[in-house]
Amino acid sequence: MEEILYKSTRNSSLRLSASKAILKGLSEDGGLFMPTAIPKLDIPLSELKSMDYREVAYEVMKLYFSDFTEDELKHCIASAYDEKFDTESIVELVYANGAYYLELFHGATIAFKDMALSILPHLMITAARKNDIDNDIVILTATSGDTGKAALAGFDSVPGTKIIVFYPKGGVSFIQERQMVTQTGLNTCVIGIKGNFDDAQTAVKNLFADKELRETLDKKGYQFSSANSINIGRLIPQIVYYVYSYVKLLAEGKIAEGEKINITVPTGNFGNILAAYMAKRMGLPVDRLICASNENKVLYDFFSTGVYDRNRDFKLTNSPSMDILISSNLERLIYLATGEDDKKNIELMTSLKENGRYDISADMKAFMDDFYAGFASDENTLAQIGRLYDDTGYVLDTHTAVASYVYDEYRKKTGDDTKTVIASTASPYKFTPNVLKAIDKENVTGDAFDMVDRLCELSGVKVPRAVEEIKSAKIMHDKVVEVKDMKAAVCDFLK
């Protein structure tokens, strides 16, 4: 099997093994790692359909992580996808009102980030051993709500690692924040910032690019890596669940082998839908990739006009994990659309940094024809939750509701009745007040945990362990800093 190496979107001549790219997280030139080729699935779909989630995960990941031995990779997969998930199948596929909802929230922190962040620590520790790394690995990440807790849970007490998570104070849900600030583990640090997610993400990228800081850390026995989806070790495991959803539909007789499906994804940082795109490039029979945005509709505008422009008001919405104006993973698609021209990509990314916008060529826009974009307002989102609950009894979280609304609008506009999988990215219990507002607006009373109990009554869905655990958990992290003080906060935690 051909070894897949990794190059930077800002330096096509760079070549790193998968394990080294996972350890670095972000290239020192500021670029994101991309495989030298997107491999094709080498197992027929007719064989994949008889496999469980772990087996499908191996067949996908072995193609990308080619310097991991079979035993190493299977150990990482078995360690990740175990009893932490509340369903043996790891994910569930539920039909409701004309679409198949791919429930990605059955892990320890009840959000789709568990799907990749359960395996990343194991990949990272294996990679460190393979490369004789003696330094402690410092995971530095920004979160819009879900990545932070999933990363904290994954790296909690893992030997040889420390993890620092920055989140926008006031920009995440009550449950999201409580999950993070009650995190145990001497190697964990959670810090709120006085700013939004884009502020946190930009500052984290700048810390990665800080050569002086990097040298100081090295002398102290530390090196940075990332748990955001900018890390290729996060992105590749996300491909798995799209492949699994297809072969699950195939196994259940819902589709014929080779029949194309559409995939709809609620999107902020663009990593989750990029994984679906990579699954398509691997040969999965996928037609349209429907990119669903909330009122921070920078991606909708980009796919509609070919202009990426973050020069707009930042809106706090009822789908906070998507409150993003700088979609970092889009750089990977841009790089592919340039024909993997690193100089052209640098030009566009420099324009984004200096001017807050860039324009793509007609050829690049045509390259992205697989994508359809739509957006939902806060009102649309709540109405969609209420509508689906009234019609079917099925309850969506606010992010999945954005995707559900955009898909319904797409179907009305196009008449396209292709079978469609919608990525369901979080449990409704993570966003209980807004979900209750949509389905039982007369009884949105009491504190957040009273609302959890009321949602349980209405939905008949058991309250997840992740929510029960934080009801009485002690606050472990209460630090809040200005954006300009993030570097000092990192140094302080690392002594």
Side-chain angles (χ1 to χ4, degrees), residues 44-74:
L45 296 171
S46 56
E47 283 186 44
L48 284 171
K49 76 177 184 180
S50 63
M51 296 183 183
D52 66 18
Y53 192 88
R54 299 164 192 85
E55 292 168 326
V56 173
Y58 175 73
E59 295 301 333
V60 172
M61 290 190 219
K62 73 176 186 184
L63 302 174
Y64 288 95
F65 301 150
S66 49
D67 67 327
F68 285 69
T69 67
E70 180 177 347
D71 285 346
E72 286 170 340
L73 188 51
K74 285 186 173 177

Side-chain angles (χ1 to χ4, degrees), residues 106-391:
H106 290 279
T109 74
I110 56 174
F112 82 100
K113 306 296 175 75
D114 288 322
M115 301 304 301
L117 283 164
S118 292
I119 194 170
L120 182 61
H122 302 288
L123 293 172
M124 205 165 271
I125 295 305
T126 303
R129 287 199 298 265
K130 293 174 79 67
N131 290 281
D132 300 317
I133 299 297
D134 294 323
N135 284 349
D136 277 6
I137 299 164
V138 179
I139 305 300
L140 186 64
T141 197
T143 184
S144 56
D146 289 332
T147 288
K149 175 57 182 180
L152 288 160
F155 284 92
D156 178 6
S157 302
V158 172
T161 70
K162 294 185 184 297
I163 176 164
I164 305 168
V165 170
F166 291 100
Y167 74 96
K169 182 70 177 174
V172 300
S173 79
F174 172 83
I175 297 290
Q176 285 176 314
E177 181 174 44
R178 183 62 69 95
Q179 282 186 302
M180 287 188 284
V181 299
T182 57
Q183 178 66 48
T184 57
L186 293 175
N187 67 329
T188 67
C189 177
V190 180
I191 302 172
I193 68 149
K194 296 175 183 176
N196 59 44
F197 170 74
D198 288 335
D199 297 325
Q201 180 169 250
T202 300
V204 164
K205 285 184 176 180
N206 290 339
L207 290 173
F208 271 96
D210 188 327
K211 186 178 179 183
E212 182 183 349
L213 178 60
R214 194 163 59 241
E215 290 172 353
T216 301
L217 288 171
D218 187 54
K219 288 175 185 173
K220 298 289 185 180
Y222 297 119
Q223 68 184 64
F224 278 148
S225 191
S226 173
N228 283 86
S229 53
I230 56 176
N231 192 317
I232 203 72
R234 264 281 309 276
L235 182 63
I236 300 307
Q238 293 179 266
I239 298 171
V240 175
Y241 46 74
Y242 294 114
V243 176
Y244 181 78
S245 69
Y246 186 92
V247 297
K248 183 82 169 169
L249 289 173
L250 188 59
E252 293 177 355
K254 308 296 186 187
I255 56 174
E257 186 168 354
E259 181 180 347
K260 288 188 174 183
I261 63 169
N262 292 334
I263 296 174
T264 305
V265 186
T267 307
N269 218 14
F270 203 72
N272 205 7
I273 197 166
L274 182 68
Y277 173 76
M278 291 177 73
K280 177 174 181 172
R281 289 281 298 266
M282 292 179 75
L284 195 71
V286 174
D287 188 19
R288 304 307 300 275
L289 296 159
I290 301 168
C291 176
S293 298
N294 66 15
E295 290 181 12
N296 291 294
K297 56 188 183 70
V298 65
L299 287 168
Y300 166 77
D301 292 338
F302 169 70
F303 283 113
S304 301
T305 66
V307 177
Y308 193 97
D309 190 350
R310 64 173 175 82
N311 297 310
R312 62 186 71 199
D313 291 337
F314 184 95
K315 297 183 179 180
L316 294 174
T317 73
N318 56 24
S319 48
S321 297
M322 296 161 64
D323 289 348
I324 294 170
L325 294 181
I326 303 175
S327 303
S328 287
N329 268 290
L330 185 62
E331 180 172 346
R332 287 186 162 115
L333 183 65
I334 294 293
Y335 176 68
L336 292 172
T338 65
E340 303 186 13
D341 182 340
D342 52 6
K343 292 182 177 57
K344 179 62 177 174
N345 182 62
I346 289 171
E347 178 188 317
L348 294 170
M349 295 306 116
T350 300
S351 178
L352 179 63
K353 184 176 182 179
E354 294 179 354
N355 307 312
R357 57 170 285 153
Y358 58 77
D359 297 41
I360 62 171
S361 67
D363 286 346
M364 289 175 67
K365 194 168 187 301
F367 178 89
M368 300 176 190
D369 197 44
D370 292 331
F371 292 88
Y372 171 93
F375 75 96
S377 68
D378 276 4
E379 291 74 19
N380 297 147
T381 301
L382 295 184
Q384 188 72 6
I385 294 170
R387 187 158 46 243
L388 202 65
Y389 176 74
D390 289 343
D391 291 348

